Structure formats: C-alpha cells, structure tokens
Amino acid sequence: MTLTSRPGGRPRRRPRRDRVTEALWGYAFIAPAGLGLAVFYLWPVVRTGYFSFTEWGAFGGHTWSGLDNYHRLLSDPEVGRSLVNTLAYTALGLIAIPLAVVFAALLNRDGLRGAGIYRTLFFLPVVTMPVAVAMIWRWLYNGDYGLINHVLAQVGIDGPNWIADPDTALFALVVVGIWSSLGYNLVIFLAGMQAIPKEYYDAAAIDGAGPVRQFFRITLPLLSPTAFFVSIISVIGSLQLFDLVYVLAGSGQTARANPAFPRMETVVQLFHDRAFATNDRGYGAAIVMMLLVLIIALTALQFRLQKRWVHYG
Amino acid sequence: MAEARSSAVPPQPDRSGPRPGRRRSRSHLGVHAVLIPASLVMVAPFVWQLITSLKTLSSATRVPPSLLPEGRWENYRQVFQLLPFGDQFLNTTLMAAGRTAGQVLLCPLAAYAFARLRFPGREVLFGLFLSVLMVPPQLFIIPQYQIMASLGWLNTLQALIVPGMFSAFGVFLLRQFFLGLPPELEEAARLDGAGPLRIYWFIMLPLARPGVIALSVLALLWSWNDLFWPLVVNTDPEQMTLSAGLSALQGQFQTDYPVLMAGSLLASLPVIAAFALLQRQFIQGIAHTGVKG
C-alpha cells in the first residue's frame, strides 16, 4: 500500500498529486458498496422497466410486446381491485400518525414514572417478526375460537369472522397495521419532541399556558416536520403492504378459498402472484412499475401539500 | 432516555428557578389512565400467543376459551417435527449475520468517502446511491431472482445473503454520522503522515461506532424479519428461512394453532431477546432514520 503524504514539510495548499491520490482512495472506498448496488439494485431497476414491455413464455424466454402489459393493466379488474384496497389501507393507516403523536406526548411528560416500560411495550410489535405478528392476529380474529369474539360475546356482540368476512377484512388488516407500526412512529415523534427547546415551554408556562395549550401551540407546530416525514414513510410503506396480507388472508389456494380475499389483495400481493406464482414476469414487472408511479405521485402530492401544514421553525 | 430517568428525581425548586406550569411532583394519574390500557392492548396478543402455545389443540379450540395456560411444552418439540425448524433457524441466523457483516464492512467505507474525501463525480455518485433508497424494493426482485438463477444460486445460502449485503440506507445513515464528526483529529493524523485507510480505520471508524452499531442492529432486525425475498429465492423447505417456513405452514388444511403459536414465538424470540439487551440501539437506530435525515 502506498501512503502518499510524507511526515513533515507539508505545504499549505495540497499538491495535485495528493488530490489525485485522495480521489483514487475515494473511488476505492466506494467501489465495494457501489458495485454491489449497481449490480443488484440499479441495473435491476432498468431491467424491470425493460421487462414490463415483454411477454414471457412458459419456459423462461421473453419477447418484446410493446405496451401490451400496460393495456392489460388498465382493463384488469384484479388490478383495479388491488389498487382500491391498497389505497384504502394506506388512507386508513394514516390514523396511526395522530395516535402516535398523542401517545408520544403522554410519554414525554416530565417525570412520568414507567415511561421506559411503556415505550418498550409499544415498541415490542415493531421488532417482532411480521409473519409471527400476522399469525397471532389470525388466531385472535378466528371466528369460532378467537379471543376477540369471545370478549365481544361477553358484552353481547356476535362478532364476525373478521378476516373471512368481506365487510370487515380490510378494517381488520388496518388494525393490525396500526398496532404493529405505532411504536415505530412513536419513537420518531419522541425524538422530535425531545429536540424542541425546553425554554419554549417555560416561557409559555410563565404566560399561563397549561399543558393542553402548550401541546397545540408549541409541540404540534414544531413537530410538523417530523409528522411530515412520518407520513411520507407510512404512505410509502403502506403502498407496499405484503407480509400481513400474505399470512392473514392466505396465499395461493388458501387465498382463493377466502371469500374476503378480493377485499384484501394488495398491489404487491398481485405482483408476487403474477411474477412468481404464475411466472407472468412481464406483467408482474408492469404491475410494480405502476406501483413506482403511484409512490412517486403520492410522495410528490404530499410535498406539494406540505406548505399548508408543515412549519419549519 | 436518560432524560426520563433524571427527571424522575424529586423536584429542586430553588435551583431551577420558578417553573409554575411544570410542577414535577404531579402524579400523572390521567396519563397513566390512558397509557395502562393502551399498553395492555399492545402486549395482550403476545400473552395470548404464549398461553395458546402451551395448550392442546382441543383445549385451544374449546368454547368459551380458557384464559389459563396449560403446561403442554410438547408443542415446542412438535414445531421441529412439523417443519425443518432447526435448518430454518440456522438459515435465518446465517442470513442475518451474513447480511449484517456485509453492511457493516461496506457501508461505512463508502459513507466515509462520501462524507470526507474529495473526488470528481462525488455528488453524482451519491445521488445514484440515494436513488436506490427511493425505489420500492419490489422493482429489484425479478432481475435479482434472474441473477440468482443464472448463477445457480436458487435454494442456497448465498442467495439469501448476497444481495442484502449492500445497503444504500446504511451508506446514507453513516454518511450523516461522519459529517457530524470533528475534522480536527483527521487533520492531525494526516499531518502525522497517515493515509486515508489508516485514518479511516483507526480514527474515524471508531468514532462512528454508535452509528455502526445502530446500523447493525437495524440490519439484523430487517434481515431476520424479511419475508418477500427469502420466499421467492428459496422454495426448498430445508433452505427456507423461518418467516417463509412459518407462512407456508398456515396454508395447510388443519392448522394446529398451539404448535403454530409455539413456532412463531420461537421464531421471533431471538430478535425480542436482542431488543431486550440492546433497547437503546434499536430505538436510537429508528429515531435516527427519522430525525437526522
């Protein structure tokens, strides 16, 4: 290894040779990660874009088919259905944000005893394997033996078969989604709240503002950039919903046997089915290209809307 | 976090001056009245999972259900008969370890270069790295699958590990860390004649340790819990990961819930144990994804 700079006698302005060596080191440092990202991430995006214009045969080969896949997307009822489900799930899932703000504000109270324990309990679902989470809820939601319906029966309510009933399936999914992401959002909001200078609250207190007023006048406005970030992340995450549905609604045969599946199938679910179960990879590629467009569009929309509600201190 | 602990200390009115609206001796009864039921809702599913995992199938499906646990530890042994659980456990462990090791080795190297070294094209290259972060991962999967297939890697450990060793997120996270470190130490070392590799390895990397730990904790968590990719590349039960193996189980005609609960509890246990030990790192890692971005 050749080390360039010699001890002593180093001029103020660095010589050209040093700058060249620094650049070479720079390239050497990013090369391992860069090559991996190029091969496994950047080039694949280009390939998927190309595949979305191809038709795949049963044995792997593919031929150019122009816009066929995209025409098919527009008239495929399953695509429309999965889009509606995904968007509905995404919209309903946003309830998690105000919920997380409220719990974060409660946890952030000065001198609250047990704050660490509460935070741990809220965070537990975040670290638990999503497949395991979905299994637990599948069991809780069970129409015959499920704990939820048992509890409801105590107050005289005859609960439905939550994840097999088209009227309740999406709602059941949203509940699990919120339950499992609440801790994640809460931690981000807590970090945001702790970054707010204490002096603001002290000043407000001197002016006679109580905790509720302080929350609405100080915490909420100063937290809006964090809330904006969380809403961007949640929307992107919700649009990619897969694991929960894969276990809760079932896949393949189980899914087809579930009468509520048409109300739960998501875009990524459909992508998985077309690209890997039925080997219709060209169409699968078109489906995820549509997802990409959707994510870009909804993210851009949020950036436009942020002027109305996000305050940068 | 330290804040919550220190503020639990009794009030010292004469030192902090008048703080009329923030009486620290408040008992927070109303706050607890909301938080206690809420946190019960958060843990109840896990408790029910544990209780169910210790029942026989017939007592688990009894109506009305009994809330008391039974001692059927047999279910935990049955998991290993129902699935190649041991193999899947090992696959998952090796996958998580391999991916994490790759990221921890490669990400800080690139992150340091982007934060501290000057070279032509740096901004453009960093922009390319960032663009990977913005694309939904489903867009990579078909071509990644094809690469694995053409290498003959389907149903191998390499397929589970290799693509996950590279992380644009890790580079981004650590670049933020390196940007926040003081340049003085680095300059002093340079004057002493140390080259970039030496400076990186002996000075900057140790300083970035909190960031590297946060990244490794998140990499472990996300790898352990990953479903889509393992589901697609390794379809042979013995080469599957736990998440794929378990999700394959629930599709079967007669689901033995107690055994399934035992299996899913065992599968999530390592991460929960790691969380119990490394809470700070988990939580800071998550917080870092949000605030300093």
Side-chain angles (χ1 to χ4, degrees), chain A residues 176-224:
Chain A
V176 186
I178 292 175
W179 177 83
S180 54
S181 66
L182 194 62
Y184 182 94
N185 296 341
L186 181 123
V187 161
I188 293 181
F189 281 125
L190 263 178
M193 284 176 187
Q194 275 156 14
I196 299 175
K198 289 242 180 291
E199 290 74 33
Y200 292 178
Y201 293 103
D202 291 339
I206 289 167
D207 289 345
V212 173
R213 217 177 148 84
Q214 289 180 14
F215 174 75
F216 282 103
R217 293 293 169 82
I218 301 171
T219 312
L220 221 44
L222 290 177
L223 208 57
S224 62

Side-chain angles (χ1 to χ4, degrees), chain B residues 36 64 180:
Chain B
I36 290 172

Side-chain angles (χ1 to χ4, degrees), chain B residues 127-141:
Chain B
L128 275 176
F129 273 58
L130 276 188
S131 69
V132 171
L133 263 183
M134 297 172 194
V135 176
Q138 292 81 14
L139 256 81
F140 313 130
I141 284 173

